[in-house]
Amino acid sequence: MKSSKSSFNILESIKNHIETLKPLLPKQAIVCIGEYSIKIFLKQPYVNKADTTLPILIGQSSDDIFKWIPKGFDPYLILGFEDMDIDTHFWYNVLPFISKDETLIEGLKKKPIEKLHSAIMVASVWDGIGSATLPALMSKFKASNINSLSIAILPSKIQPTDAYFNTLASLGMCASTDAATVLLIDRDHLENFEGVDRNGSLIKGNIIANYLVNLLLAKETLVQEISELSRTFNVKMYTVLLATGASIKIYGSVENMLNATLLKPLLNFDLSSASLLYVLLRMPMSLKDKLPRGKIELAIAGWFKEKANLKSIYITEPIYVEDTSDRIDVTLFIGGFETAKMFTDLDKKVKSLKSRAVEKGFIKEEDWQAIIKNLEEQKEQQTPS
């Protein structure tokens, strides 16, 4: 028996060694679109796992992007619009070009992507590049059978009307895509965020978007799971509530952590109108027995019972990390909430700019009405029966 056990250990050791020699193929892509999104992404701790993640940066100028890249960061693909003879201020200038361009998809085909199954896209949708590129790439990924999750950063209240015109068009085009799963984040809320990370260090401002992306990439099945939830319930718009680096000793319970998420939302929305919930937690392995998944599920279901009439609650398997702290990251993806007022207000705000674009022949009235209709259909889906 001793000899057999020794042989087994040797064979297992050889097998493990062979596994380490196999090239790791990328399974996820992270696509940052626009200067604002790219600069957030390049803040440390940035994602730079070229073996499992493909970082793709798309902006006005590839030369500028290269200047922003910190030492040691190795992006897979950088795309710029500087050599194209197009105006990039409005979505309607960029859309015809980006819809036909296959640079990104062709670039992905140069990588052994047979295991690439998902993409996370982050875009500031107030500029022409972000507003047009996000829905265009969403459709391209769908055509390539790659699930995608889009984070759309909405403009600040102080930004001019053209920012809202681009934003409304982008959201309407996203809503027209069957596979759309769009996470809405308000820029003002993002920049006013304050929290702590897993080390207890302060997280302040838009760096929380970087922290969130790193968290999402840590869960390999996340995009696929949320995409399936979206298709099942025909819900395309989400937002997120966060409690980062929450110490169980300080908070005392999961319910108190959930209460904390309401103090710093990343979007103004009516929680009571929500219909879907997807929950992701990252927690120390040492808490696995103290806070089993079943106990967490009951705590979350109980907390939401009086707050929203949810059709579905999906709590994915937590990300367990080897950590000496007792800090937990809680991420609540809220879907199906009422968006009618937001879309109606945006439509009124951009009416004069839209009319001018139609008058000048930049867009057709019927094309704009099709965009608005997509958002109207979202409203109908979110109206309680």
Side-chain angles (χ1 to χ4, degrees):
M1 290 294 292
K2 185 176 180 180
S3 176
S4 296
K5 185 176 182 180
S6 297
S7 299
F8 173 79
N9 287 339
I10 292 170
L11 292 173
E12 190 68 24
S13 177
I14 293 172
K15 178 184 176 183
N16 290 337
H17 179 65
I18 292 173
E19 288 293 326
T20 63
L21 296 177
K22 290 182 179 179
L24 292 171
L25 301 178
K27 297 179 180 180
Q28 302 180 93
I30 170 68
V31 185
C32 292
I33 308 165
E35 178 178 348
Y36 186 84
S37 303
I38 293 171
K39 286 186 172 179
I40 293 175
F41 179 70
L42 293 177
K43 292 180 179 180
Q44 291 199 19
Y46 50 78
V47 178
N48 192 22
K49 300 176 181 177
D51 52 356
T52 57
T53 303
L54 295 178
I56 298 165
L57 310 177
I58 303 174
Q60 175 67 45
S61 167
S62 57
D63 289 340
D64 285 343
I65 296 174
F66 278 111
K67 293 175 184 176
W68 303 333
I69 294 174
K71 186 177 180 180
F73 184 85
D74 183 24
Y76 171 63
L77 192 61
I78 291 178
L79 301 176
F81 284 76
E82 69 268 48
D83 295 328
M84 310 302 170
D85 187 23
I86 58 170
D87 185 347
T88 58
H89 190 83
F90 286 109
W91 61 274
Y92 53 74
N93 298 127
V94 179
L95 187 63
F97 167 77
I98 196 66
S99 296
K100 296 176 183 177
D101 186 73
E102 295 297 327
T103 305
L104 175 57
I105 300 302
E106 291 300 323
L108 290 175
K109 289 179 180 179
K110 294 177 183 178
K111 198 84 172 176
I113 64 167
E114 54 268 21
K115 288 192 176 181
L116 185 68
H117 55 69
S118 64
I120 295 174
M121 294 188 285
V122 187
S124 46
V125 292
W126 58 76
D127 57 58
I129 291 175
S131 58
T133 303
L134 185 67
L137 291 188
M138 188 184 295
S139 297
K140 291 179 186 294
F141 279 128
K142 180 179 182 294
S144 298
N145 295 315
I146 298 173
N147 289 314
S148 67
L149 169 65
S150 301
I151 300 176
I153 304 178
L154 311 181
S156 165
K157 290 180 180 178
I158 65 172
Q159 288 181 247
T161 305
D162 57 358
Y164 290 91
F165 182 45
N166 282 329
T167 296
L168 187 62
S170 185
L171 296 182
M173 289 184 288
C174 286
S176 70
T177 305
D178 292 338
T181 306
V182 186
L183 192 64
L184 304 179
I185 293 180
D186 179 88
R187 179 178 182 178
D188 290 329
H189 286 65
L190 188 66
E191 294 183 357
N192 290 324
F193 186 90
E194 288 190 4
V196 296
D197 62 16
R198 298 188 52 74
N199 296 319
S201 300
L202 180 66
I203 301 177
K204 193 172 183 180
N206 60 25
I207 189 65
I208 188 59
N210 179 301
Y211 193 89
L212 175 63
V213 170
N214 275 277
L215 178 58
L216 303 187
L217 289 171
K219 180 68 177 180
E220 188 179 306
T221 58
L222 179 139
V223 176
Q224 179 181 348
E225 290 173 354
I226 293 185
S227 296
E228 289 175 357
L229 193 67
S230 296
R231 287 192 293 268
T232 300
F233 291 93
N234 199 23
V235 168
K236 298 177 181 180
M237 302 291 175
Y238 292 77
T239 191
V240 63
L241 293 173
L242 284 171
T244 60
S247 166
I248 190 66
K249 291 179 183 177
I250 295 174
Y251 282 85
S253 68
V254 172
E255 289 84 353
N256 287 339
M257 292 180 186
L258 297 174
N259 289 333
T261 68
L262 297 176
L263 301 177
K264 43 199 173 185
L266 293 177
L267 183 78
N268 287 332
F269 73 104
D270 180 8
L271 180 61
S272 66
S273 67
S275 60
L276 296 183
L277 174 66
Y278 177 96
V279 182
L280 172 66
L281 292 95
R282 179 166 57 187
M283 56 194 296
M285 182 66 74
S286 59
L287 294 179
K288 187 173 184 179
D289 293 333
K290 183 178 180 180
L291 281 177
R293 185 178 175 185
K295 184 175 181 179
I296 293 171
E297 288 175 344
L298 290 176
I300 292 174
W303 188 80
F304 268 96
K305 187 175 181 181
E306 302 301 324
K307 294 178 173 61
N309 185 23
L310 298 176
K311 296 178 181 177
S312 177
I313 298 177
Y314 185 89
I315 301 173
T316 190
E317 183 69 20
I319 302 167
Y320 293 106
V321 293
E322 295 295 340
D323 198 329
T324 57
S325 78
D326 70 336
R327 295 184 179 275
I328 301 173
D329 292 321
V330 181
T331 313
L332 307 177
F333 295 87
I334 312 291
F337 54 89
E338 192 273 326
T339 57
K341 186 178 186 305
M342 178 178 68
F343 293 150
T344 300
D345 288 348
L346 284 177
D347 194 17
K348 290 178 181 178
K349 191 178 184 73
V350 306
K351 186 175 181 179
S352 62
L353 195 56
K354 182 272 298 182
S355 297
R356 180 180 179 277
V358 171
E359 182 183 334
K360 294 291 184 180
F362 299 138
I363 62 174
K364 295 180 180 179
E365 179 66 33
E366 54 266 34
D367 292 340
W368 179 257
Q369 291 307 318
I371 288 173
I372 298 303
K373 183 180 179 182
N374 295 329
L375 296 175
E376 291 289 342
E377 290 173 355
Q378 273 295 114
K379 297 179 194 176
E380 293 171 5
Q381 291 158 11
Q382 292 156 6
T383 302
S385 57

